[in-house]
Amino acid sequence: MTLDVIATYATAVFLLIGSGFVIVGVIGLLKFNDPMTRLHAPTKVGTIGIGMLLLASMTHAFASGDGSLHELLIMAFLFVTAPISANFIAKVNIHSRTCEVPPSPSRDDTWSTLKSPDLDQEIKGGVQE
């Protein structure tokens, strides 16, 4: 087996694995009803699926002699921004109370995103929300 044949098989395997993860993410996005459960499908599974598709693209590019590292930059951007956007979407759902509210903290009552210190409550008291 030559290196080209191995690279072709590796590209095919990466494409199949990536496509499988993307399909599972799409099915999860369509099947789940609650916004917080729907959040896991595209962020967790979709990130791995897109990462595998980009890895397939890199493998094919290097096998054909047109090596490209643009996919590494795309993967880095994707792996950095996906958790941040998922965190913001989760916070919006928690604050708008469209999902279950997290339990109250046991020791400290000001660390939670839904509880403000008493001083903040006094400041907000004069402002209409």
Side-chain angles (χ1 to χ4, degrees):
M1 283 182 127
T2 65
L3 190 59
D4 290 338
V5 174
I6 294 172
T8 302
Y9 284 133
T11 301
V13 168
F14 292 149
L15 284 173
L16 288 174
I17 293 171
S19 300
F21 274 105
V22 169
I23 287 172
V24 168
V26 168
I27 290 171
L29 189 62
L30 294 174
K31 287 295 231 178
F32 293 135
N33 295 329
D34 183 25
M36 292 296 275
T37 56
R38 291 179 79 185
L39 183 63
H40 289 287
T43 56
K44 307 291 186 278
V45 177
T47 303
I48 300 296
I50 299 299
M52 291 301 283
L53 294 177
L54 289 169
L55 188 61
S57 176
M58 280 180 51
T59 305
H60 178 70
F62 281 113
S64 64
D66 299 330
S68 172
L69 296 178
H70 293 118
E71 289 87 354
L72 283 178
L73 295 173
I74 295 170
M75 274 195 257
F77 182 75
L78 179 72
F79 290 147
V80 167
T81 58
I84 294 169
S85 62
N87 185 18
F88 282 139
I89 293 170
K91 279 189 170 192
V92 165
N93 284 317
I94 289 172
H95 285 288
S96 64
R97 304 210 192 290
T98 59
C99 62
E100 289 185 33
V101 178
S104 298
S106 58
R107 295 186 329 238
D108 187 10
D109 63 347
T110 60
W111 71 270
S112 178
T113 59
L114 298 176
K115 181 79 174 179
S116 299
D118 293 333
L119 180 61
D120 288 347
Q121 293 295 335
E122 291 173 12
I123 293 171
K124 288 181 184 177
V127 179
Q128 289 187 7
E129 295 184 53

PDB file of all heavy atoms in Angstrom, residues 99-119:
ATOM      1  N   CYS A  99     -36.143  27.041  31.715  1.00  0.00           N
ATOM      2  CA  CYS A  99     -35.717  25.691  32.084  1.00  0.00           C
ATOM      3  C   CYS A  99     -35.725  25.594  33.602  1.00  0.00           C
ATOM      4  O   CYS A  99     -36.067  26.535  34.304  1.00  0.00           O
ATOM      5  CB  CYS A  99     -34.328  25.408  31.526  1.00  0.00           C
ATOM      6  SG  CYS A  99     -33.070  26.505  32.186  1.00  0.00           S
ATOM      7  N   GLU A 100     -35.333  24.435  34.115  1.00  0.00           N
ATOM      8  CA  GLU A 100     -35.257  24.269  35.563  1.00  0.00           C
ATOM      9  C   GLU A 100     -34.172  25.184  36.137  1.00  0.00           C
ATOM     10  O   GLU A 100     -33.093  25.303  35.581  1.00  0.00           O
ATOM     11  CB  GLU A 100     -34.918  22.825  35.916  1.00  0.00           C
ATOM     12  CG  GLU A 100     -36.040  21.867  35.663  1.00  0.00           C
ATOM     13  CD  GLU A 100     -35.693  20.476  36.146  1.00  0.00           C
ATOM     14  OE1 GLU A 100     -34.965  20.357  37.160  1.00  0.00           O
ATOM     15  OE2 GLU A 100     -36.139  19.530  35.516  1.00  0.00           O
ATOM     16  N   VAL A 101     -34.479  25.807  37.241  1.00  0.00           N
ATOM     17  CA  VAL A 101     -33.526  26.694  37.901  1.00  0.00           C
ATOM     18  C   VAL A 101     -32.536  25.836  38.682  1.00  0.00           C
ATOM     19  O   VAL A 101     -32.929  24.850  39.305  1.00  0.00           O
ATOM     20  CB  VAL A 101     -34.273  27.666  38.840  1.00  0.00           C
ATOM     21  CG1 VAL A 101     -33.304  28.556  39.578  1.00  0.00           C
ATOM     22  CG2 VAL A 101     -35.261  28.499  38.044  1.00  0.00           C
ATOM     23  N   PRO A 102     -31.251  26.177  38.636  1.00  0.00           N
ATOM     24  CA  PRO A 102     -30.296  25.385  39.401  1.00  0.00           C
ATOM     25  C   PRO A 102     -30.578  25.461  40.896  1.00  0.00           C
ATOM     26  O   PRO A 102     -31.179  26.421  41.369  1.00  0.00           O
ATOM     27  CB  PRO A 102     -28.935  26.015  39.067  1.00  0.00           C
ATOM     28  CG  PRO A 102     -29.218  27.264  38.349  1.00  0.00           C
ATOM     29  CD  PRO A 102     -30.631  27.260  37.906  1.00  0.00           C
ATOM     30  N   PRO A 103     -30.149  24.444  41.654  1.00  0.00           N
ATOM     31  CA  PRO A 103     -30.424  24.465  43.097  1.00  0.00           C
ATOM     32  C   PRO A 103     -29.683  25.597  43.788  1.00  0.00           C
ATOM     33  O   PRO A 103     -28.672  26.094  43.301  1.00  0.00           O
ATOM     34  CB  PRO A 103     -29.908  23.102  43.577  1.00  0.00           C
ATOM     35  CG  PRO A 103     -28.930  22.677  42.541  1.00  0.00           C
ATOM     36  CD  PRO A 103     -29.393  23.275  41.241  1.00  0.00           C
ATOM     37  N   SER A 104     -30.201  25.975  44.949  1.00  0.00           N
ATOM     38  CA  SER A 104     -29.562  27.039  45.730  1.00  0.00           C
ATOM     39  C   SER A 104     -28.217  26.559  46.244  1.00  0.00           C
ATOM     40  O   SER A 104     -28.053  25.387  46.578  1.00  0.00           O
ATOM     41  CB  SER A 104     -30.444  27.432  46.918  1.00  0.00           C
ATOM     42  OG  SER A 104     -31.663  27.939  46.446  1.00  0.00           O
ATOM     43  N   PRO A 105     -27.252  27.472  46.333  1.00  0.00           N
ATOM     44  CA  PRO A 105     -25.939  27.068  46.855  1.00  0.00           C
ATOM     45  C   PRO A 105     -26.035  26.734  48.335  1.00  0.00           C
ATOM     46  O   PRO A 105     -26.834  27.301  49.064  1.00  0.00           O
ATOM     47  CB  PRO A 105     -25.065  28.288  46.606  1.00  0.00           C
ATOM     48  CG  PRO A 105     -26.001  29.419  46.446  1.00  0.00           C
ATOM     49  CD  PRO A 105     -27.278  28.865  45.909  1.00  0.00           C
ATOM     50  N   SER A 106     -25.172  25.817  48.775  1.00  0.00           N
ATOM     51  CA  SER A 106     -25.268  25.365  50.163  1.00  0.00           C
ATOM     52  C   SER A 106     -24.603  26.325  51.142  1.00  0.00           C
ATOM     53  O   SER A 106     -25.138  26.594  52.201  1.00  0.00           O
ATOM     54  CB  SER A 106     -24.660  23.973  50.287  1.00  0.00           C
ATOM     55  OG  SER A 106     -23.308  24.021  49.846  1.00  0.00           O
ATOM     56  N   ARG A 107     -23.427  26.852  50.824  1.00  0.00           N
ATOM     57  CA  ARG A 107     -22.689  27.674  51.782  1.00  0.00           C
ATOM     58  C   ARG A 107     -22.839  29.159  51.507  1.00  0.00           C
ATOM     59  O   ARG A 107     -23.139  29.940  52.379  1.00  0.00           O
ATOM     60  CB  ARG A 107     -21.211  27.304  51.746  1.00  0.00           C
ATOM     61  CG  ARG A 107     -20.930  25.905  52.207  1.00  0.00           C
ATOM     62  CD  ARG A 107     -19.443  25.636  52.294  1.00  0.00           C
ATOM     63  NE  ARG A 107     -18.671  26.388  51.328  1.00  0.00           N
ATOM     64  CZ  ARG A 107     -17.879  25.869  50.416  1.00  0.00           C
ATOM     65  NH1 ARG A 107     -17.738  24.576  50.346  1.00  0.00           N
ATOM     66  NH2 ARG A 107     -17.211  26.622  49.577  1.00  0.00           N
ATOM     67  N   ASP A 108     -22.585  29.565  50.294  1.00  0.00           N
ATOM     68  CA  ASP A 108     -22.549  30.988  49.943  1.00  0.00           C
ATOM     69  C   ASP A 108     -23.775  31.295  49.105  1.00  0.00           C
ATOM     70  O   ASP A 108     -24.085  30.574  48.165  1.00  0.00           O
ATOM     71  CB  ASP A 108     -21.261  31.286  49.174  1.00  0.00           C
ATOM     72  CG  ASP A 108     -21.071  32.764  48.936  1.00  0.00           C
ATOM     73  OD1 ASP A 108     -21.825  33.553  49.526  1.00  0.00           O
ATOM     74  OD2 ASP A 108     -20.185  33.122  48.163  1.00  0.00           O
ATOM     75  N   ASP A 109     -24.466  32.371  49.406  1.00  0.00           N
ATOM     76  CA  ASP A 109     -25.686  32.666  48.665  1.00  0.00           C
ATOM     77  C   ASP A 109     -25.491  33.739  47.597  1.00  0.00           C
ATOM     78  O   ASP A 109     -26.460  34.255  47.062  1.00  0.00           O
ATOM     79  CB  ASP A 109     -26.812  33.070  49.613  1.00  0.00           C
ATOM     80  CG  ASP A 109     -26.499  34.340  50.364  1.00  0.00           C
ATOM     81  OD1 ASP A 109     -25.333  34.777  50.345  1.00  0.00           O
ATOM     82  OD2 ASP A 109     -27.430  34.908  50.964  1.00  0.00           O
ATOM     83  N   THR A 110     -24.257  34.100  47.263  1.00  0.00           N
ATOM     84  CA  THR A 110     -24.057  35.145  46.257  1.00  0.00           C
ATOM     85  C   THR A 110     -23.300  34.668  45.028  1.00  0.00           C
ATOM     86  O   THR A 110     -23.104  35.430  44.107  1.00  0.00           O
ATOM     87  CB  THR A 110     -23.273  36.324  46.862  1.00  0.00           C
ATOM     88  OG1 THR A 110     -22.012  35.856  47.319  1.00  0.00           O
ATOM     89  CG2 THR A 110     -24.053  36.966  47.986  1.00  0.00           C
ATOM     90  N   TRP A 111     -22.855  33.413  44.974  1.00  0.00           N
ATOM     91  CA  TRP A 111     -22.063  32.977  43.823  1.00  0.00           C
ATOM     92  C   TRP A 111     -22.939  32.613  42.636  1.00  0.00           C
ATOM     93  O   TRP A 111     -22.494  32.609  41.508  1.00  0.00           O
ATOM     94  CB  TRP A 111     -21.174  31.785  44.188  1.00  0.00           C
ATOM     95  CG  TRP A 111     -21.939  30.518  44.400  1.00  0.00           C
ATOM     96  CD1 TRP A 111     -22.452  30.069  45.557  1.00  0.00           C
ATOM     97  CD2 TRP A 111     -22.279  29.558  43.409  1.00  0.00           C
ATOM     98  NE1 TRP A 111     -23.107  28.886  45.376  1.00  0.00           N
ATOM     99  CE2 TRP A 111     -23.009  28.553  44.053  1.00  0.00           C
ATOM    100  CE3 TRP A 111     -22.052  29.452  42.048  1.00  0.00           C
ATOM    101  CZ2 TRP A 111     -23.515  27.451  43.372  1.00  0.00           C
ATOM    102  CZ3 TRP A 111     -22.547  28.345  41.380  1.00  0.00           C
ATOM    103  CH2 TRP A 111     -23.265  27.362  42.041  1.00  0.00           C
ATOM    104  N   SER A 112     -24.196  32.273  42.888  1.00  0.00           N
ATOM    105  CA  SER A 112     -25.073  31.799  41.824  1.00  0.00           C
ATOM    106  C   SER A 112     -25.426  32.924  40.858  1.00  0.00           C
ATOM    107  O   SER A 112     -25.454  34.093  41.216  1.00  0.00           O
ATOM    108  CB  SER A 112     -26.346  31.229  42.443  1.00  0.00           C
ATOM    109  OG  SER A 112     -27.225  30.800  41.429  1.00  0.00           O
ATOM    110  N   THR A 113     -25.730  32.580  39.619  1.00  0.00           N
ATOM    111  CA  THR A 113     -26.060  33.604  38.622  1.00  0.00           C
ATOM    112  C   THR A 113     -27.429  34.220  38.865  1.00  0.00           C
ATOM    113  O   THR A 113     -27.733  35.253  38.306  1.00  0.00           O
ATOM    114  CB  THR A 113     -26.043  33.012  37.209  1.00  0.00           C
ATOM    115  OG1 THR A 113     -27.001  31.951  37.141  1.00  0.00           O
ATOM    116  CG2 THR A 113     -24.677  32.519  36.842  1.00  0.00           C
ATOM    117  N   LEU A 114     -28.253  33.588  39.674  1.00  0.00           N
ATOM    118  CA  LEU A 114     -29.599  34.111  39.907  1.00  0.00           C
ATOM    119  C   LEU A 114     -29.729  34.887  41.215  1.00  0.00           C
ATOM    120  O   LEU A 114     -30.751  35.457  41.493  1.00  0.00           O
ATOM    121  CB  LEU A 114     -30.608  32.961  39.909  1.00  0.00           C
ATOM    122  CG  LEU A 114     -30.721  32.197  38.601  1.00  0.00           C
ATOM    123  CD1 LEU A 114     -31.670  31.036  38.757  1.00  0.00           C
ATOM    124  CD2 LEU A 114     -31.158  33.105  37.485  1.00  0.00           C
ATOM    125  N   LYS A 115     -28.679  34.908  42.000  1.00  0.00           N
ATOM    126  CA  LYS A 115     -28.729  35.589  43.294  1.00  0.00           C
ATOM    127  C   LYS A 115     -27.728  36.726  43.310  1.00  0.00           C
ATOM    128  O   LYS A 115     -26.583  36.567  42.948  1.00  0.00           O
ATOM    129  CB  LYS A 115     -28.403  34.578  44.401  1.00  0.00           C
ATOM    130  CG  LYS A 115     -28.439  35.119  45.776  1.00  0.00           C
ATOM    131  CD  LYS A 115     -29.840  35.234  46.277  1.00  0.00           C
ATOM    132  CE  LYS A 115     -29.798  35.662  47.737  1.00  0.00           C
ATOM    133  NZ  LYS A 115     -31.096  35.826  48.278  1.00  0.00           N
ATOM    134  N   SER A 116     -28.163  37.896  43.745  1.00  0.00           N
ATOM    135  CA  SER A 116     -27.284  39.057  43.836  1.00  0.00           C
ATOM    136  C   SER A 116     -27.051  39.392  45.299  1.00  0.00           C
ATOM    137  O   SER A 116     -27.910  39.131  46.149  1.00  0.00           O
ATOM    138  CB  SER A 116     -27.923  40.269  43.151  1.00  0.00           C
ATOM    139  OG  SER A 116     -28.147  40.005  41.796  1.00  0.00           O
ATOM    140  N   PRO A 117     -25.929  40.003  45.620  1.00  0.00           N
ATOM    141  CA  PRO A 117     -25.724  40.467  46.990  1.00  0.00           C
ATOM    142  C   PRO A 117     -26.792  41.492  47.369  1.00  0.00           C
ATOM    143  O   PRO A 117     -27.412  42.130  46.516  1.00  0.00           O
ATOM    144  CB  PRO A 117     -24.339  41.102  46.957  1.00  0.00           C
ATOM    145  CG  PRO A 117     -23.664  40.531  45.766  1.00  0.00           C
ATOM    146  CD  PRO A 117     -24.756  40.216  44.782  1.00  0.00           C
ATOM    147  N   ASP A 118     -27.009  41.662  48.663  1.00  0.00           N
ATOM    148  CA  ASP A 118     -28.049  42.581  49.147  1.00  0.00           C
ATOM    149  C   ASP A 118     -27.809  44.012  48.683  1.00  0.00           C
ATOM    150  O   ASP A 118     -28.748  44.744  48.396  1.00  0.00           O
ATOM    151  CB  ASP A 118     -28.120  42.539  50.675  1.00  0.00           C
ATOM    152  CG  ASP A 118     -28.606  41.187  51.170  1.00  0.00           C
ATOM    153  OD1 ASP A 118     -29.335  40.521  50.406  1.00  0.00           O
ATOM    154  OD2 ASP A 118     -28.263  40.811  52.297  1.00  0.00           O
ATOM    155  N   LEU A 119     -26.558  44.414  48.586  1.00  0.00           N
ATOM    156  CA  LEU A 119     -26.250  45.761  48.131  1.00  0.00           C
ATOM    157  C   LEU A 119     -26.743  45.974  46.699  1.00  0.00           C
ATOM    158  O   LEU A 119     -27.311  47.020  46.380  1.00  0.00           O
ATOM    159  CB  LEU A 119     -24.743  46.020  48.216  1.00  0.00           C
ATOM    160  CG  LEU A 119     -24.262  47.395  47.772  1.00  0.00           C
ATOM    161  CD1 LEU A 119     -24.888  48.482  48.656  1.00  0.00           C
ATOM    162  CD2 LEU A 119     -22.750  47.471  47.823  1.00  0.00           C
TER     163      LEU A 119
END
